[in-house]
Amino acid sequence: MTSLRKYLTLNSGRRIPTVGLGTFLMKNDVLREALDYALYIGYRHIDTALSYGNEVEIGDVVASRIKDGTVKRADLFITTKIPPIYLDYQDCLQSAEKSLDNLKLKYVDMLLIHHPCGNPNRGDGNFKPLDENGEREIVSYDILRTWKAMEKLVGENQTVHIGLSNCQPTVINKIWKAAKIKPSNLQLECHAYLQQKELGKLCTERGIIMTSYGALGAITRPNQSGNKPVLLDDLVIKEIASRINRTPGEVLLNYVAQLNRGILPKSQTKIRLKQNIEVLDWCLSKEDIKLIQTLDRNVKYFDFPWAKNHPDYVPNQPF
Ligand SMILES: NC(=O)c1ccc[n+]([C@@H]2O[C@H](COP(=O)([O-])OP(=O)(O)OC[C@H]3O[C@@H](n4cnc5c(N)ncnc54)[C@H](OP(=O)(O)O)[C@@H]3O)[C@@H](O)[C@H]2O)c1
Protein backbone atom coordinates (compact mmCIF):
# COMPACT_ATOMS: atom_id res chain seq x y z
CA MET A 1 0.00 0.00 0.00
CA THR A 2 1.55 3.32 -1.03
CA SER A 3 -1.28 5.71 -0.32
CA LEU A 4 -4.46 5.92 1.74
CA ARG A 5 -8.09 6.11 0.67
CA LYS A 6 -9.16 9.60 -0.38
CA TYR A 7 -12.81 8.80 0.34
CA LEU A 8 -14.71 6.61 2.77
CA THR A 9 -18.04 5.11 1.74
CA LEU A 10 -21.05 5.96 3.88
CA ASN A 11 -24.03 3.65 4.45
CA SER A 12 -25.91 5.55 1.71
CA GLY A 13 -23.31 4.44 -0.82
CA ARG A 14 -22.11 8.03 -1.18
CA ARG A 15 -18.59 9.06 -0.32
CA ILE A 16 -17.13 11.36 2.30
CA PRO A 17 -13.62 12.76 1.70
CA THR A 18 -11.26 11.28 4.31
CA VAL A 19 -9.70 14.65 5.12
CA GLY A 20 -11.96 17.51 6.10
CA LEU A 21 -10.96 21.03 7.03
CA GLY A 22 -11.67 21.56 10.73
CA THR A 23 -12.85 25.10 11.37
CA PHE A 24 -13.37 25.31 15.14
CA LEU A 25 -11.92 28.58 16.50
CA MET A 26 -11.36 29.99 12.99
CA LYS A 27 -13.33 33.07 12.03
CA ASN A 28 -13.41 36.17 9.85
CA ASP A 29 -10.58 36.82 7.37
CA VAL A 30 -8.32 34.14 8.83
CA LEU A 31 -10.99 31.57 8.05
CA ARG A 32 -11.82 33.08 4.65
CA GLU A 33 -8.19 32.95 3.57
CA ALA A 34 -7.56 29.46 4.95
CA LEU A 35 -10.70 28.04 3.36
CA ASP A 36 -10.05 29.72 0.06
CA TYR A 37 -6.56 28.25 -0.06
CA ALA A 38 -7.84 24.87 1.14
CA LEU A 39 -10.37 24.71 -1.71
CA TYR A 40 -7.68 25.77 -4.15
CA ILE A 41 -5.37 22.91 -3.13
CA GLY A 42 -8.11 20.30 -3.18
CA TYR A 43 -9.97 20.14 0.14
CA ARG A 44 -13.60 19.27 -0.56
CA HIS A 45 -14.83 18.47 2.94
CA ILE A 46 -15.50 21.25 5.45
CA ASP A 47 -16.49 20.68 9.06
CA THR A 48 -18.37 23.37 10.96
CA ALA A 49 -21.13 23.71 13.55
CA LEU A 50 -23.77 26.29 14.37
CA SER A 51 -21.98 26.90 17.67
CA TYR A 52 -18.64 27.70 15.97
CA GLY A 53 -20.18 30.99 14.81
CA ASN A 54 -18.37 30.80 11.48
CA GLU A 55 -20.93 29.38 9.06
CA VAL A 56 -21.49 32.78 7.43
CA GLU A 57 -17.84 33.14 6.40
CA ILE A 58 -17.80 29.55 5.13
CA GLY A 59 -20.96 30.21 3.14
CA ASP A 60 -19.44 33.35 1.61
CA VAL A 61 -16.28 31.59 0.44
CA VAL A 62 -18.14 28.52 -0.82
CA ALA A 63 -20.67 30.64 -2.74
CA SER A 64 -17.98 32.70 -4.43
CA ARG A 65 -15.90 29.64 -5.37
CA ILE A 66 -18.94 27.86 -6.78
CA LYS A 67 -19.80 31.00 -8.73
CA ASP A 68 -16.34 31.35 -10.28
CA GLY A 69 -16.20 27.63 -11.14
CA THR A 70 -13.37 26.66 -8.76
CA VAL A 71 -15.61 24.00 -7.20
CA LYS A 72 -18.94 22.37 -7.91
CA ARG A 73 -21.47 22.04 -5.11
CA ALA A 74 -21.81 18.33 -5.88
CA ASP A 75 -18.10 17.82 -5.19
CA LEU A 76 -18.23 19.47 -1.77
CA PHE A 77 -19.02 17.70 1.47
CA ILE A 78 -20.22 20.09 4.13
CA THR A 79 -20.92 19.02 7.70
CA THR A 80 -22.61 21.09 10.35
CA LYS A 81 -24.06 20.29 13.76
CA ILE A 82 -27.11 20.83 15.96
CA PRO A 83 -25.96 22.29 19.31
CA PRO A 84 -27.05 20.76 22.65
CA ILE A 85 -29.41 23.70 23.33
CA TYR A 86 -31.45 22.82 20.23
CA LEU A 87 -32.22 19.14 20.76
CA ASP A 88 -35.95 19.74 21.16
CA TYR A 89 -37.81 18.64 17.97
CA GLN A 90 -38.80 22.10 16.72
CA ASP A 91 -35.52 23.69 17.80
CA CYS A 92 -33.61 21.03 15.88
CA LEU A 93 -35.52 21.86 12.69
CA GLN A 94 -34.93 25.57 13.19
CA SER A 95 -31.25 25.07 13.98
CA ALA A 96 -30.76 23.28 10.67
CA GLU A 97 -32.64 26.03 8.86
CA LYS A 98 -30.43 28.66 10.50
CA SER A 99 -27.28 26.76 9.49
CA LEU A 100 -28.46 26.51 5.88
CA ASP A 101 -29.26 30.20 5.88
CA ASN A 102 -25.81 31.04 7.30
CA LEU A 103 -24.10 28.73 4.84
CA LYS A 104 -26.24 29.98 1.92
CA LEU A 105 -26.87 26.38 0.93
CA LYS A 106 -29.98 24.42 0.01
CA TYR A 107 -28.63 21.35 1.79
CA VAL A 108 -25.69 20.12 3.81
CA ASP A 109 -24.10 16.74 3.25
CA MET A 110 -23.96 15.75 6.90
CA LEU A 111 -25.88 17.02 9.89
CA LEU A 112 -24.72 15.79 13.29
CA ILE A 113 -26.11 15.96 16.78
CA HIS A 114 -23.16 17.82 18.30
CA HIS A 115 -23.53 16.30 21.76
CA PRO A 116 -26.41 14.15 23.05
CA CYS A 117 -26.34 15.71 26.54
CA GLY A 118 -28.66 18.67 26.31
CA ASN A 119 -28.50 22.21 27.63
CA PRO A 120 -31.59 24.39 27.97
CA ASN A 121 -32.63 26.76 25.18
CA ARG A 122 -33.12 30.10 26.93
CA GLY A 123 -34.16 31.74 23.69
CA ASP A 124 -31.12 34.04 23.71
CA GLY A 125 -28.86 31.89 21.50
CA ASN A 126 -26.43 31.27 24.37
CA PHE A 127 -24.78 27.92 23.62
CA LYS A 128 -23.38 27.58 27.14
CA PRO A 129 -26.18 28.52 29.56
CA LEU A 130 -25.05 28.62 33.19
CA ASP A 131 -26.98 28.01 36.39
CA GLU A 132 -26.84 30.22 39.51
CA ASN A 133 -23.62 28.49 40.62
CA GLY A 134 -21.89 29.29 37.35
CA GLU A 135 -22.04 25.66 36.23
CA ARG A 136 -23.22 24.63 32.77
CA GLU A 137 -26.95 24.06 33.03
CA ILE A 138 -28.10 20.68 31.82
CA VAL A 139 -31.42 19.34 30.65
CA SER A 140 -32.50 16.01 29.26
CA TYR A 141 -34.22 15.80 25.86
CA ASP A 142 -35.89 12.79 24.28
CA ILE A 143 -33.08 11.97 21.88
CA LEU A 144 -35.36 9.74 19.80
CA ARG A 145 -37.57 12.77 19.13
CA THR A 146 -34.47 14.70 18.14
CA TRP A 147 -33.60 11.88 15.78
CA LYS A 148 -37.10 12.05 14.28
CA ALA A 149 -36.44 15.71 13.54
CA MET A 150 -33.12 14.75 11.94
CA GLU A 151 -34.94 12.20 9.77
CA LYS A 152 -37.50 14.82 8.76
CA LEU A 153 -34.64 17.06 7.62
CA VAL A 154 -33.41 14.24 5.37
CA GLY A 155 -36.94 13.83 4.01
CA GLU A 156 -37.04 17.55 3.24
CA ASN A 157 -33.64 17.38 1.48
CA GLN A 158 -32.05 19.80 3.92
CA THR A 159 -29.35 17.27 4.66
CA VAL A 160 -28.19 14.20 2.75
CA HIS A 161 -26.92 12.31 5.79
CA ILE A 162 -27.43 12.42 9.54
CA GLY A 163 -25.11 11.35 12.27
CA LEU A 164 -23.83 11.72 15.79
CA SER A 165 -20.99 13.26 17.69
CA ASN A 166 -19.61 12.62 21.19
CA CYS A 167 -22.04 9.76 21.74
CA GLN A 168 -21.55 6.74 23.95
CA PRO A 169 -22.47 3.17 22.94
CA THR A 170 -25.77 3.25 24.87
CA VAL A 171 -27.10 6.26 22.99
CA ILE A 172 -25.75 5.07 19.64
CA ASN A 173 -27.52 1.74 20.07
CA LYS A 174 -30.72 3.36 21.28
CA ILE A 175 -30.88 5.60 18.20
CA TRP A 176 -29.76 2.81 15.93
CA LYS A 177 -32.56 0.50 17.03
CA ALA A 178 -35.31 3.11 16.66
CA ALA A 179 -34.03 4.85 13.53
CA LYS A 180 -35.74 4.69 10.16
CA ILE A 181 -32.67 6.42 8.76
CA LYS A 182 -29.58 5.03 10.43
CA PRO A 183 -26.77 7.31 11.60
CA SER A 184 -24.00 7.26 9.00
CA ASN A 185 -21.24 9.07 10.89
CA LEU A 186 -19.85 9.32 14.40
CA GLN A 187 -17.55 12.24 15.05
CA LEU A 188 -15.47 11.97 18.19
CA GLU A 189 -12.05 12.47 19.72
CA CYS A 190 -9.61 9.90 18.42
CA HIS A 191 -5.81 9.86 18.27
CA ALA A 192 -2.80 7.75 19.14
CA TYR A 193 -3.42 8.21 22.90
CA LEU A 194 -7.18 7.50 22.58
CA GLN A 195 -7.61 4.97 19.83
CA GLN A 196 -11.32 4.33 20.45
CA LYS A 197 -11.19 0.57 19.83
CA GLU A 198 -14.57 -0.18 21.42
CA LEU A 199 -16.40 2.52 19.50
CA GLY A 200 -14.45 1.62 16.37
CA LYS A 201 -15.79 -1.93 16.61
CA LEU A 202 -19.34 -0.72 17.20
CA CYS A 203 -19.13 1.62 14.21
CA THR A 204 -17.85 -1.17 11.97
CA GLU A 205 -20.70 -3.45 13.09
CA ARG A 206 -23.24 -0.69 12.45
CA GLY A 207 -21.77 0.53 9.15
CA ILE A 208 -21.04 3.94 10.66
CA ILE A 209 -18.02 5.89 9.43
CA MET A 210 -15.95 7.27 12.28
CA THR A 211 -14.46 10.73 11.95
CA SER A 212 -11.75 11.81 14.36
CA TYR A 213 -11.22 15.19 15.85
CA GLY A 214 -8.18 15.98 17.96
CA ALA A 215 -6.02 13.62 15.88
CA LEU A 216 -3.07 15.93 16.58
CA GLY A 217 -3.73 15.82 20.31
CA ALA A 218 -6.04 18.83 20.68
CA ILE A 219 -3.24 21.39 20.77
CA THR A 220 -5.64 24.28 21.20
CA ARG A 221 -7.34 22.66 24.16
CA PRO A 222 -6.19 24.13 27.47
CA ASN A 223 -4.67 21.31 29.50
CA GLN A 224 -6.26 22.66 32.65
CA SER A 225 -4.90 20.10 35.06
CA GLY A 226 -1.53 20.31 33.30
CA ASN A 227 -1.04 16.59 33.72
CA LYS A 228 -1.94 15.34 30.28
CA PRO A 229 0.93 14.32 28.03
CA VAL A 230 1.40 16.36 24.86
CA LEU A 231 0.82 14.02 21.95
CA LEU A 232 2.94 15.96 19.45
CA ASP A 233 5.89 15.66 21.87
CA ASP A 234 5.61 11.89 22.19
CA LEU A 235 9.10 10.41 21.79
CA VAL A 236 7.91 7.44 19.71
CA ILE A 237 6.05 9.75 17.33
CA LYS A 238 9.04 12.09 17.10
CA GLU A 239 11.44 9.23 16.42
CA ILE A 240 9.24 7.85 13.62
CA ALA A 241 8.78 11.34 12.15
CA SER A 242 12.49 12.11 12.03
CA ARG A 243 13.33 8.66 10.64
CA ILE A 244 10.84 8.92 7.76
CA ASN A 245 11.40 12.64 7.21
CA ARG A 246 7.90 13.75 8.15
CA THR A 247 6.59 15.98 10.92
CA PRO A 248 5.02 14.48 14.08
CA GLY A 249 1.71 16.02 12.97
CA GLU A 250 1.85 14.20 9.65
CA VAL A 251 2.61 10.90 11.39
CA LEU A 252 -0.34 11.32 13.77
CA LEU A 253 -2.78 12.18 10.97
CA ASN A 254 -1.55 9.37 8.74
CA TYR A 255 -1.97 6.91 11.60
CA VAL A 256 -5.65 7.75 12.14
CA ALA A 257 -6.41 7.85 8.41
CA GLN A 258 -4.92 4.39 7.88
CA LEU A 259 -7.53 3.07 10.35
CA ASN A 260 -10.11 4.09 7.69
CA ARG A 261 -11.34 6.90 9.90
CA GLY A 262 -11.87 10.45 8.73
CA ILE A 263 -9.64 13.26 10.03
CA LEU A 264 -10.45 16.94 10.48
CA PRO A 265 -7.20 18.85 10.96
CA LYS A 266 -7.76 22.57 11.41
CA SER A 267 -5.06 24.82 10.04
CA GLN A 268 -4.74 28.45 9.07
CA THR A 269 -1.14 27.98 7.95
CA LYS A 270 -0.58 27.26 4.26
CA ILE A 271 2.26 24.80 4.66
CA ARG A 272 0.26 22.71 7.16
CA LEU A 273 -2.94 22.91 5.13
CA LYS A 274 -0.97 21.34 2.29
CA GLN A 275 0.81 18.74 4.45
CA ASN A 276 -2.46 17.74 6.08
CA ILE A 277 -4.24 16.91 2.83
CA GLU A 278 -1.15 15.28 1.35
CA VAL A 279 -1.07 12.96 4.35
CA LEU A 280 -3.12 10.53 2.22
CA ASP A 281 -0.38 10.29 -0.40
CA TRP A 282 1.88 8.05 1.66
CA CYS A 283 1.58 5.56 4.48
CA LEU A 284 3.39 4.42 7.58
CA SER A 285 5.11 1.05 7.56
CA LYS A 286 3.42 -1.89 9.27
CA GLU A 287 6.14 -1.80 11.93
CA ASP A 288 5.53 1.87 12.70
CA ILE A 289 1.77 1.30 12.82
CA LYS A 290 2.37 -1.43 15.40
CA LEU A 291 4.56 0.91 17.43
CA ILE A 292 1.87 3.60 17.48
CA GLN A 293 -0.79 1.05 18.44
CA THR A 294 1.07 0.56 21.71
CA LEU A 295 0.68 4.25 22.63
CA ASP A 296 -3.06 3.91 23.37
CA ARG A 297 -3.54 5.15 26.97
CA ASN A 298 -7.02 6.60 27.40
CA VAL A 299 -5.94 10.26 27.39
CA LYS A 300 -9.01 12.34 26.62
CA TYR A 301 -8.34 16.03 25.98
CA PHE A 302 -11.98 16.98 25.35
CA ASP A 303 -13.51 15.48 28.46
CA PHE A 304 -16.66 17.65 28.61
CA PRO A 305 -16.73 17.89 32.44
CA TRP A 306 -20.22 19.44 32.39
CA ALA A 307 -21.65 16.38 30.65
CA LYS A 308 -20.43 14.02 33.40
CA ASN A 309 -23.27 15.23 35.66
CA HIS A 310 -25.86 14.83 32.95
CA PRO A 311 -28.58 12.20 33.44
CA ASP A 312 -27.94 10.93 29.90
CA TYR A 313 -24.22 10.37 30.51
CA VAL A 314 -23.29 6.73 31.12
CA PRO A 315 -20.29 6.32 33.46
CA ASN A 316 -17.44 4.12 32.22
CA GLN A 317 -18.44 4.17 28.58
CA PRO A 318 -16.21 5.72 25.92
CA PHE A 319 -17.16 8.72 23.81
N1 LIG B 1 -17.60 17.26 17.27
C1 LIG B 1 -16.94 17.90 18.19
O1 LIG B 1 -17.36 17.99 19.37
C2 LIG B 1 -15.62 18.52 17.85
C3 LIG B 1 -14.75 18.89 18.88
C4 LIG B 1 -13.53 19.44 18.53
C5 LIG B 1 -13.19 19.61 17.21
N2 LIG B 1 -14.05 19.27 16.21
C6 LIG B 1 -13.71 19.47 14.78
O2 LIG B 1 -12.44 18.91 14.56
C7 LIG B 1 -11.54 19.92 14.09
C8 LIG B 1 -10.15 19.66 14.64
O3 LIG B 1 -10.17 20.06 15.98
P1 LIG B 1 -9.01 20.07 17.04
O4 LIG B 1 -9.39 21.00 18.11
O5 LIG B 1 -8.76 18.70 17.39
O6 LIG B 1 -7.82 20.72 16.30
P2 LIG B 1 -6.64 20.07 15.55
O7 LIG B 1 -6.95 20.09 14.12
O8 LIG B 1 -6.26 18.77 16.18
O9 LIG B 1 -5.51 21.09 15.91
C9 LIG B 1 -5.48 22.40 15.42
C10 LIG B 1 -4.14 23.01 15.84
O10 LIG B 1 -3.07 22.22 15.31
C11 LIG B 1 -2.22 23.01 14.50
N3 LIG B 1 -1.86 22.14 13.36
C12 LIG B 1 -2.57 21.90 12.23
N4 LIG B 1 -1.95 21.01 11.46
C13 LIG B 1 -0.81 20.65 12.11
C14 LIG B 1 0.26 19.76 11.82
N5 LIG B 1 0.27 19.04 10.71
N6 LIG B 1 1.25 19.65 12.74
C15 LIG B 1 1.25 20.37 13.87
N7 LIG B 1 0.28 21.26 14.19
C16 LIG B 1 -0.75 21.38 13.32
C17 LIG B 1 -3.02 24.22 14.12
O11 LIG B 1 -2.19 25.34 13.96
P3 LIG B 1 -2.22 26.18 12.58
O12 LIG B 1 -3.64 26.61 12.37
O13 LIG B 1 -1.31 27.33 12.82
O14 LIG B 1 -1.72 25.24 11.53
C18 LIG B 1 -3.94 24.39 15.34
O15 LIG B 1 -3.26 25.11 16.35
C19 LIG B 1 -12.17 21.22 14.56
O16 LIG B 1 -11.71 22.32 13.86
C20 LIG B 1 -13.63 20.92 14.39
O17 LIG B 1 -14.01 21.13 13.03
C21 LIG B 1 -15.25 18.70 16.53
Side-chain angles (χ1 to χ4, degrees), residues 23-24 47 165-166 187 214 219 264 266-269 272 276:
T23 66
F24 182 44
D47 183 76
S165 181
N166 303 306
Q187 190 179 119
I219 308 159
L264 299 172
K266 167 262 161 192
S267 184
Q268 57 200 53
T269 310
R272 285 198 280 269
N276 293 350

Side-chain angles (χ1 to χ4, degrees), residues 139-172:
V139 67
S140 190
Y141 294 96
D142 177 354
I143 201 75
L144 296 184
R145 283 274 298 154
T146 314
W147 195 253
K148 284 257 173 264
M150 300 286 279
E151 291 178 332
K152 184 172 162 67
L153 290 162
V154 177
E156 291 174 350
N157 299 320
Q158 297 189 54
T159 182
V160 184
H161 302 94
I162 47 180
L164 304 168
S165 181
N166 303 306
C167 284
Q168 300 179 289
T170 297
V171 76
I172 297 170

Side-chain angles (χ1 to χ4, degrees), residues 46-63:
I46 305 163
D47 183 76
T48 183
L50 184 68
S51 63
Y52 296 173
N54 62 12
E55 290 174 325
V56 169
E57 293 95 310
I58 292 172
D60 289 344
V61 174
V62 165

Side-chain angles (χ1 to χ4, degrees), residues 21-26 47-48 52 81 112 114-115 165-166 187-188 212-221 232 247-250 253 264-269 272-273 275-276 302 304:
L21 178 67
T23 66
F24 182 44
L25 301 177
M26 267 204 291
D47 183 76
T48 183
Y52 296 173
K81 311 182 190 93
L112 303 176
H114 205 150
H115 202 300
S165 181
N166 303 306
Q187 190 179 119
L188 79 178
S212 310
Y213 67 76
L216 296 161
I219 308 159
T220 50
R221 198 82 197 145
L232 275 168
T247 66
E250 288 176 289
L253 293 173
L264 299 172
K266 167 262 161 192
S267 184
Q268 57 200 53
T269 310
R272 285 198 280 269
L273 279 164
Q275 279 173 355
N276 293 350
F302 288 80
F304 299 102

Side-chain angles (χ1 to χ4, degrees), residues 227-243:
N227 61 3
K228 290 184 184 163
V230 177
L231 182 54
L232 275 168
D233 289 346
D234 185 277
L235 293 180
V236 172
I237 299 295
K238 283 170 111 171
E239 184 279 320
I240 295 172
S242 83
R243 176 160 43 75

Side-chain angles (χ1 to χ4, degrees), residues 61-74:
V61 174
V62 165
S64 74
R65 290 305 167 217
I66 290 176
K67 196 168 173 207
D68 73 9
T70 307
V71 289
K72 293 195 186 95
R73 174 65 187 96

